[in-house]
Amino acid sequence: MFKINAEYLKLPGSYLFSTVARKQREYQAAHPDKKVIRLSIGDVTQPLAPVIVEAMQKATAEMAQKETFRGYAPDLGYEFLRETICKNDFHARGVEMSIDEIFVSDGAKSDCGNIGDIFSADNRVAVCDPVYPVYVDTNAMAGRAGDYDAATEKWTNIIYMPCTEETGFAPELPKETPDMIYLCFPNNPTGSTVTKAQLQTWVDYALKVGAVILYDAAYEAYISEDDVPHSIYECAGAKACAIEMRSFSKRAGFTGVRLGYTVVPKELKQGDVSLNSLWARRHGTKFNGAPYIIQRAGEAVYTPEGVRQTNEQIAYYMNNARIIREGLAEAGYSVSGGVNAPYIWMKTPDGLTSWEFFDRLLNEANVVGTPGSGFGPSGEGYLRLTAFGTLENTLEAVERIRRM
C-alpha cells in the first residue's frame, strides 16, 4: 500500500492567504451589496509596462516562425537574460557575478520552497518571527520543523527570531545555532529593513558558525534609503555563505506571468561539495525553464525605457504606501513600514487580537487586511496592509478605516 508524506498532516489549517480569501468570499456572499476592498494579498493591480508587452509580442511572433521558434529553454535560463541580470543587478553595484551563478525560474516563491531540496532534513532552520509563511511551511513539509505546538503556535525544531517593535522589527542573532537562516529584506510582512552594517553582522555570523543564509530580496526595487543594501552580496564574504532569491513579480508586475531567479555562488560549499552544482542538478532535473517569451519580457525590464516605466509603477505603489501610513498615523493608529517596502505593519487597537481586528475591519469598513498572527507568534496584535491596490481603492480604504 502506498504511503503519504505524513509531515503534511502536521500543518495547521490552510495556507494563511487561502484562509483570508475564504473569509472574504463568505462575507461578500452574505453581503452582496457591499464593496469590499482588498489590502491583503500582495498582488499587483497595474498592467504590465508597455515596453514589456512589446517584448512579449515580439517574442510571441518569433515563436510563430520556423527560423526563430524556440523549444525548451536552457537549464539555467537564456544567456541574454542572465547576462543582463549580472550587469544590472550586480556589476552595477560593484558585485562580481558570473552568469552560471544565476538560475532563472518561474518566481521567488517557488525557489524559496524548492531550495530545501539540496539540504539535509536534519538541518536546524532559523526564521524571523513574524515570517513569510512559505519558509516555515515548506520546511515543515520536508520534515525539518519537528511538531507543531498549537499552544505556542511554534514548531518544535524551528528557531524563531522575534522581530518586535523594540528591535525595530529586525531580528537579533539567535541564541541557538542554526544551519539554515532565512532573511527577507525589505521585509515581508513588516516592511522593515536593515543597514549594510547590520546585514554584514549576519554574514559574519553565518561564516563563523557554518550556516547558510537564504536571502529573499523580492522587494529590493522598493528601497529608497541609501544605506539599505539591495543584495546580500554587497557584504564581504557573502558569496561563501548566502543564496539570494529575486523576483520580477513586484519589481515589474509579473505576478501573472511568473519570472524570478536565484543566485548560488560557486564559492558556496559544504566541504568539497558545491551548492551551485547541487542546485544546477536539481534545477535541470525538476524544472524545464521559464518560457522564452517571459524571459524576453524580463530582459525588457532592464532597458532604459523598462527601468523608467517600472519605476513609475513602483512609485505609484509607494505613493499608496505613503497614503496608508500617513492616513492611519493621523487617525491615531501605530504603523510602521511603507518606506522601503509596499507593506504597512499596523498595530491593532484596543487590545484586539489580529483576527479580531481583521473581522472588525471587514465588517465595519469592508476592508481586508492580513492578520499578523498568521505570520508567526510575534505577529500577534498586528495587521499587514498592502499598497498594491489602486490609488482610488487605497484612498477609499483609508477613509473608511479613519471613520471606524
Side-chain angles (χ1 to χ4, degrees):
M1 181 179 291
F2 69 85
K3 297 178 177 63
I4 62 170
N5 181 349
E7 302 295 340
Y8 278 67
L9 304 181
K10 299 178 182 179
L11 292 166
S14 62
Y15 184 54
L16 170 63
F17 298 106
S18 299
T19 303
V20 170
R22 175 182 58 78
K23 282 179 168 285
Q24 178 191 334
R25 287 195 303 271
E26 291 173 352
Y27 179 85
Q28 195 77 74
H31 305 84
D33 58 320
K34 301 291 187 180
K35 175 188 175 183
V36 176
I37 298 176
R38 289 200 314 164
L39 297 183
S40 51
I41 190 168
D43 195 4
V44 296
T45 53
Q46 297 304 295
L48 293 171
V51 69
I52 294 170
V53 175
E54 291 170 9
M56 293 175 69
Q57 291 171 335
K58 180 180 178 182
T60 301
E62 290 178 28
M63 297 295 278
Q65 303 297 322
K66 180 178 180 179
E67 296 76 15
T68 52
F69 172 79
R70 308 285 184 116
Y72 289 124
D75 284 354
L76 274 64
Y78 284 101
E79 287 193 10
F80 64 75
L81 179 56
R82 290 185 290 132
E83 288 175 349
T84 300
I85 288 170
C86 279
K87 176 183 176 182
N88 291 276
D89 287 347
F90 299 103
H91 299 169
R93 297 192 178 279
V95 176
E96 292 184 10
M97 196 67 66
S98 62
I99 67 169
D100 52 1
E101 294 174 306
I102 306 291
F103 296 80
V104 176
S105 71
D106 61 354
K109 180 179 181 179
S110 299
D111 286 351
C112 286
N114 293 330
I115 197 69
D117 285 4
I118 65 173
F119 294 102
S120 171
D122 59 1
N123 280 303
R124 288 294 305 278
V125 174
V127 298
C128 295
D129 172 31
V131 65
Y132 180 43
V134 170
Y135 310 151
V136 174
D137 289 0
T138 54
N139 276 289
M141 292 170 179
R144 292 189 194 92
D147 297 309
Y148 183 72
D149 184 343
T152 62
E153 298 183 317
K154 294 182 178 181
W155 292 85
T156 57
N157 203 42
I158 294 282
I159 299 171
Y160 291 85
M161 303 181 294
C163 301
T164 64
E165 188 174 1
E166 291 70 31
T167 67
F169 300 107
E172 297 178 335
L173 296 177
K175 294 180 175 62
E176 299 177 82
T177 303
D179 303 301
M180 301 163 59
I181 304 169
Y182 285 81
L183 296 178
C184 173
F185 293 108
N187 186 258
N188 176 18
T190 67
S192 63
T193 56
V194 291
T195 65
K196 183 177 179 180
Q198 288 175 306
L199 188 56
Q200 183 68 58
T201 298
W202 282 96
V203 170
D204 295 341
Y205 172 77
L207 291 170
K208 178 182 177 181
V209 302
V212 61
I213 296 174
L214 303 170
Y215 193 76
D216 186 349
Y219 299 94
E220 65 81 27
Y222 290 79
I223 293 171
S224 62
E225 296 180 320
D226 293 336
D227 196 30
V228 178
H230 288 250
S231 168
I232 195 169
Y233 303 120
E234 295 176 41
C235 296
K239 293 185 74 175
C241 69
I243 292 172
E244 182 168 296
M245 279 78 78
R246 294 282 193 105
S247 171
F248 285 79
S249 289
K250 313 302 166 53
R251 174 186 196 161
F254 277 41
T255 56
V257 295
R258 310 305 304 146
L259 188 66
Y261 68 88
T262 286
V263 184
V264 186
K266 294 177 184 177
E267 294 175 32
L268 182 53
K269 296 181 179 181
Q270 204 287 323
D272 295 329
V273 179
S274 164
L275 270 65
N276 179 283
S277 63
L278 291 183
W279 187 240
R281 185 69 170 87
R282 191 266 173 207
H283 210 62
T285 301
K286 291 190 174 184
F287 184 61
N288 260 344
Y292 169 72
I293 295 168
I294 306 304
Q295 293 197 47
R296 280 298 186 192
E299 179 188 35
V301 173
Y302 295 96
T303 64
E305 192 61 16
V307 170
R308 186 188 68 79
Q309 292 176 7
T310 55
N311 280 348
E312 286 179 354
Q313 291 185 341
I314 290 169
Y316 178 95
Y317 294 129
M318 290 309 293
N319 182 54
N320 286 348
R322 179 192 60 78
I323 290 169
I324 298 170
R325 188 182 70 253
E326 293 180 358
L328 296 185
E330 289 172 1
Y333 292 97
S334 176
V335 294
S336 59
V339 176
N340 296 291
Y343 296 119
I344 287 80
W345 193 236
M346 175 185 189
K347 183 178 287 189
T348 60
D350 306 323
L352 295 174
T353 68
S354 296
W355 281 106
E356 286 172 345
F357 187 60
F358 170 90
D359 289 335
R360 179 180 171 185
L361 202 65
L362 178 57
N363 284 278
E364 295 184 19
N366 304 147
V367 173
V368 181
T370 305
S373 59
F375 296 101
S378 293
E380 181 57 87
Y382 289 89
L383 194 86
R384 190 195 76 172
L385 297 176
T386 172
F388 285 119
T390 64
L391 173 60
E392 295 75 18
N393 279 347
T394 299
L395 288 166
E396 184 175 348
V398 170
E399 185 55 35
R400 290 183 188 181
I401 297 172
R402 289 169 64 102
R403 292 198 303 263
M404 283 176 53

